[in-house]
Structure formats: C-alpha cells, structure tokens
Amino acid sequence: MKDMTLTRRRLLAGMAAGAAMPALPRTLGATAAAMPVLRTEELSARLLPPEYPETRLWSYAGRSPGPELRLAQGARLRRRLENRLPAATTVHWHGIRIDNAMDGVPGLTQDAVPPGARFDYDFALPDAGTYWYHAHEKSYEQVARGLYGPLIVEEPDPPEVDREEVLVLDDWRVDPATGQLAANFEMPHDRSHAGRIGNYITTNGAQTLELAARRHERLRLRLVNASNARIFRLGLMGLEGWLMALDGMPLETPAPLTATLTLAPAQRADLIIDVIAEPGGEAFLVRQERDGGYAQAVFAVAGQAGAARRDAPGALPPNPVTALKAPGTARRLMLHMEGGAMGGMQGAMLNGRAADMREIAGANQFWAFNGMVGMPDAPLAELDRGEEVRVAIRNDTAFPHAMHVHGHHFREIGADGARGPWRDTLLVDRGETREIGFVADNPGDWLFHCHMLAHAASGMMTWFRVTG
Ligand code: C2O
Ligand code: CU
C-alpha cells in the first residue's frame, strides 16, 4: 500500500454552490405508543461542505444513517414504524433470520405503510452480529434518499476491545448545481448498467470521518455498505487486524487483514484492529479506487493505550445457524442471470408473456432470472421446512451482482466442495457461476434478489417459499 496516493477526498470537481433550498418543515407529532417509535420523516441535513445548501433526505428519526439499534442476542426488537413521509414505506431488517411476517417486503410479507400510517415490528434476534435496516418499498429510491441505519446484536460475551465504531458507508448522487440528490431514481442507464453510483462518498454521513485513537488501542470496526450499488474495496494504513465476521456471522478463524476487503452493497464486515501508527500520526481506513487510495476514515493518533500490541483475538462465538448436511442430499436449483447493457439477452418473459429486449427495455426493465423479468407469480422453489438446498448462480451478464437471500444465511460451496463463510449477500462477478447452500429452516415467503437496487427494480428479483 506504500506507493498509493493518499489524498483526502475533495468534493467532485466542477461542483458549484447552488441556490439555497427553502427550509423543509419538519413533521412533528405526539404519539401515545406502547412501543418505541421509529419515525420516518424528511430531513434537511448538512451532507455537503459548508458552501453548499443543506440536502433534503429521508430519514429514520431525523437522522441518516438512522439511529443505531443495539440489542442483546436473543432479545426482541420492537419498533412502531410511524410513516411521516410523503410516500408509502416498509422496514426490512437485513440479515436477521426473522419471523417472515416482520421481513418488511411489500406485496410479499406486508402491505406498504401509507403516509400517516403505522406498522408494528416485533421479532426475536437469533444471531449476534452486525446487521442493518432499510426501506424496502422502492428501495432504489428510498435507500438512496437515506432510509437506512445500523442494527447491532451483541454477543453475550463480546471480544475484548478498547472500543467499537460502527461505520456505515454510502455514496450519494448529488446534483452539483443544487446540492440536492439527483432527482431521477429510475434512470434507464443506471438500471441497465452498474446501478445508481454516487459522486459523493460518506461514512456515517461525513465525507471523511475523523476519529481519535491511541497507539496500540484495539478497536472493533463494524462496517456496513448501505450504498445502492457501489462495491467498496477497503484497506488499512497504520492499522492492522483481523476479519472477524461477514454479514453478521463469525468466521471460524479470524483472518488476518492483509489483502483488500471487498464490501458489496448490503454486505457487512466486523474487524478487530490494532492501531500501530505512532502518536502524532494518522491511521486510515482506505478506500481503493482505480486512481488510488482515498481516506474513508481517518484516525488521529494521540497517546498510547498500551506498551505493546496484544495477542491475536480468538474467534467470535458461532451463531445458531442450521449446519449443512452431507452433500448429495440437497435439492439443486439454478439461477441464471441474464440481461443488462452488453448482456446480449434477446428476450424473456415479461408480465407473463414472451417479450423481446426492445419491449422489455421499453418497460424500463433490463434483467431476467431464469428467463423471467421481475417478481414471478410462482416461487423459484417450494421447499419443505428443514430441506437443504443448493443454488447455482450463473452470471451471464456484463456486471457484478450482489445476490441477497432473505430470512436465511448461506454458505458458498466451492468447486472442490469447500464451504465458505456464512453470508446473506454474495457478490457474483460477471461470467462466474457460484453455488450457495443452506437449510431452508425458516417458514414463509422469502425474496432472493440483487442488492444493486436499480437491478432489483428492473428484473433481478425472485422468491422462494418454505412450507411447514
Ligand atoms: Cu437488504 Cu431485500 O434487502
Ligand atoms: Cu445486480
């Protein structure tokens, strides 16, 4: 990493200060709720540097990222969604192996909650780890507007660290003329290419998050990629440590962080890091881009937390995920991904009948799973509760896709049969076929979709049913 150009990210070139926007009235309202309230509301936030006006966002509880929800493993999360937005919404609790009725998928597990209405979420948290919550109605728009927040489930016996930082990464697409979010959330070009990629990157809403640290301090970093489509590639400078968990689930053995960490949309990573930079110096979480490294977060190092580095941490305790059985017994499914720009798809089923690519594009749709554009009436599979399934995901498109399974975690099954870490979102690069396996132990109807949210909205969405 030594020869990397490390510059603090400036605002994108050519951004000119725009006219100030009228202040947005904040909706206020009293509630006599038996449950803690999670209110969605509009927000005018200081997102950009001071020469720009405040940016109008959508928020949970007047903040973006929304408030950190932190509970103990095994506890129940109870929140009354009060929707004060001008649009219907739902909350999806990403990565939680949740009661299906609480999964927050409009049209599948609940109706979208109209403006002024409410919905009570109440469910158990079976697994410790780093999760997040986000809107699932028009998520390509609502997540881009800022409707997401971190959800932390604590281990009963957490690892020994000096402190913990939750870092929620996002990229925003800002119109340089106005300082407001670019208004077209349904651009055909985004949908057919890499999705809505932003031009202003933040951590916890700050362009370069600045944190204090001491030499030899041990931190747990919980990273969440809340962006619509950006794949973050991250490295460390002045910090050394271990990858402890992915998508909430502990690795069997902590993995030393030597190579770049790839964090696709919706993925999370738990790190334990030691500050090795000298007092008076700086350490960095580095974002690697084609033209070099950028500071995603800066740690100003002052003082010492100890005389020397500590021993390597042991693994986090495993979560109670149902183990895979012997190979050979599993039900085998195929998910064939096609379409998009430069994908060569000729046609597919659209709304129940065959359509050619021109007609599909005319409907602002671009992608197909197994020859079907968008959410099919029939599930990809009906699985008996407890049945083991293997899904071969074949990416026949020109883009990578972050495939997310609701309600379950899965393991990747390598060509040699080796089993990868438990995850809920898998990045499948173009041209790749990757196999995942899991035991369908959570009854209900579950989405299976690309978490590049523009892709999900333009064809890359299916579902499966677990019965019994
Ligand atoms: Cu994080 Cu269906 O989503
Ligand atoms: Cu995709």
Side-chain angles (χ1 to χ4, degrees):
M1 251 191 241
K2 220 176 280 158
D3 52 7
M4 145 189 315
T5 42
L6 185 71
T7 48
R8 299 234 179 124
R9 186 73 192 250
R10 286 172 298 119
L11 197 59
L12 61 153
M15 250 180 120
M21 300 294 292
L24 197 69
R26 292 276 300 275
T27 318
L28 297 172
T31 177
M35 294 176 90
V37 167
L38 185 64
R39 184 174 296 139
T40 54
E41 57 189 346
E42 292 176 284
L43 163 72
S44 196
R46 171 50 52 210
L47 182 67
L48 301 177
E51 59 270 29
Y52 294 89
E54 291 193 333
T55 305
R56 291 167 63 170
L57 307 178
W58 288 4
S59 78
Y60 293 109
R63 300 155 56 175
S64 182
E68 177 182 304
L69 304 181
R70 184 177 281 265
L71 293 97
Q73 182 174 16
R76 288 190 82 79
L77 192 159
R78 302 171 72 245
R79 283 292 182 285
R80 168 163 292 175
L81 169 68
E82 279 190 10
N83 184 13
R84 302 295 175 89
L85 295 171
T89 193
T90 62
V91 186
H92 171 56
W93 312 90
H94 185 116
I96 303 295
R97 298 188 299 126
I98 201 169
D99 172 359
N100 189 245
M102 298 288 118
D103 199 37
V105 179
L108 194 67
T109 68
Q110 68 170 98
D111 292 331
V113 181
R118 49 176 58 160
F119 186 90
D120 290 347
Y121 291 97
D122 184 350
F123 53 91
L125 298 161
D127 303 312
T130 302
Y131 303 92
W132 64 304
Y133 58 99
H134 64 79
H136 215 297
E137 166 76 359
K138 290 193 178 177
S139 57
Y140 59 86
E141 172 181 344
Q142 298 195 355
V143 173
R145 287 186 187 273
L147 277 176
Y148 57 78
L151 167 54
I152 308 302
V153 185
E154 293 186 325
E155 299 91 5
D157 195 8
E160 257 191 55
V161 294
D162 294 317
R163 70 177 217 270
E164 181 173 313
E165 297 287 349
V166 180
L167 306 182
V168 183
L169 281 46
D170 193 8
D171 66 342
W172 309 82
R173 187 179 294 174
V174 179
D175 179 347
T178 62
Q180 301 306 312
L181 301 181
N184 188 348
F185 295 93
E186 301 181 2
M187 273 180 53
H189 187 276
D190 292 336
R191 289 188 164 195
S192 59
H193 290 72
R196 183 178 167 106
I197 303 288
N199 55 2
Y200 188 73
I201 301 176
T202 58
T203 307
N204 299 348
Q207 188 182 22
T208 304
L209 184 70
E210 299 186 25
L211 298 165
R214 291 167 296 154
R215 183 161 206 243
H216 293 143
E217 192 174 16
R218 175 161 280 187
L219 284 81
R220 179 180 192 162
L221 298 186
R222 298 178 181 265
L223 307 178
V224 180
N225 182 352
S227 72
N228 277 45
R230 178 176 295 266
I231 300 166
F232 282 90
R233 298 184 203 284
L234 301 166
L236 304 175
M237 280 184 82
L239 306 167
E240 268 179 26
W242 296 264
L243 177 63
M244 303 299 293
L246 288 167
D247 299 347
M249 297 292 166
L251 305 187
E252 279 164 20
T253 316
L257 280 162
T258 47
T260 300
L261 174 70
T262 299
L263 207 61
Q267 290 184 332
R268 288 90 61 212
D270 282 51
L271 318 182
I272 287 184
I273 54 161
D274 294 333
V275 178
I276 57 167
E278 301 285 337
E282 287 180 317
F284 300 90
L285 177 67
V286 179
R287 180 180 72 254
Q288 288 159 2
E289 295 190 15
R290 281 201 197 96
D291 63 347
Y294 292 89
Q296 186 74 34
V298 185
F299 298 84
V301 182
Q304 297 246 141
R309 283 189 67 181
R310 273 170 264 184
D311 295 339
L316 299 171
N319 283 316
V321 184
T322 307
L324 300 182
K325 297 170 215 139
T329 59
R331 171 109 157 249
R332 292 186 183 267
L333 301 172
M334 162 67 93
L335 190 81
H336 184 201
M337 315 163 83
E338 290 178 287
M342 302 162 286
M345 184 167 83
Q346 300 296 309
M349 296 296 287
L350 175 70
N351 302 326
R353 56 182 193 79
D356 65 14
M357 198 57 215
R358 148 175 272 175
E359 188 184 344
I360 294 168
N364 207 7
Q365 299 290 301
F366 296 97
W367 311 88
F369 283 166
N370 295 344
M372 271 172 297
V373 177
M375 190 73 173
D377 289 337
L380 175 70
E382 274 197 48
L383 304 166
D384 295 329
R385 187 176 188 174
E387 188 175 2
E388 183 164 329
V389 61
R390 298 277 165 96
V391 189
I393 305 171
R394 180 168 147 214
N395 182 352
D396 251 342
T397 80
F399 294 88
H401 301 287
M403 292 301 300
H404 171 47
V405 175
H406 280 224
H408 298 76
H409 274 65
F410 54 78
R411 301 184 78 165
E412 184 169 1
I413 314 292
D416 53 358
R419 293 162 179 194
W422 291 103
R423 304 212 69 146
D424 61 48
T425 305
L426 180 73
L427 185 63
V428 184
D429 216 337
R430 61 189 205 173
E432 283 184 339
T433 299
R434 311 267 295 267
E435 193 178 36
I436 61 171
F438 63 94
V439 174
D441 59 357
N442 197 355
D445 293 345
W446 303 105
L447 281 189
F448 181 23
H449 66 91
C450 178
H451 222 286
M452 275 81 171
L453 298 172
H455 294 171
S458 58
M460 293 200 140
M461 182 93 78
T462 189
W463 62 291
F464 60 94
R465 173 168 287 164
V466 181
T467 57

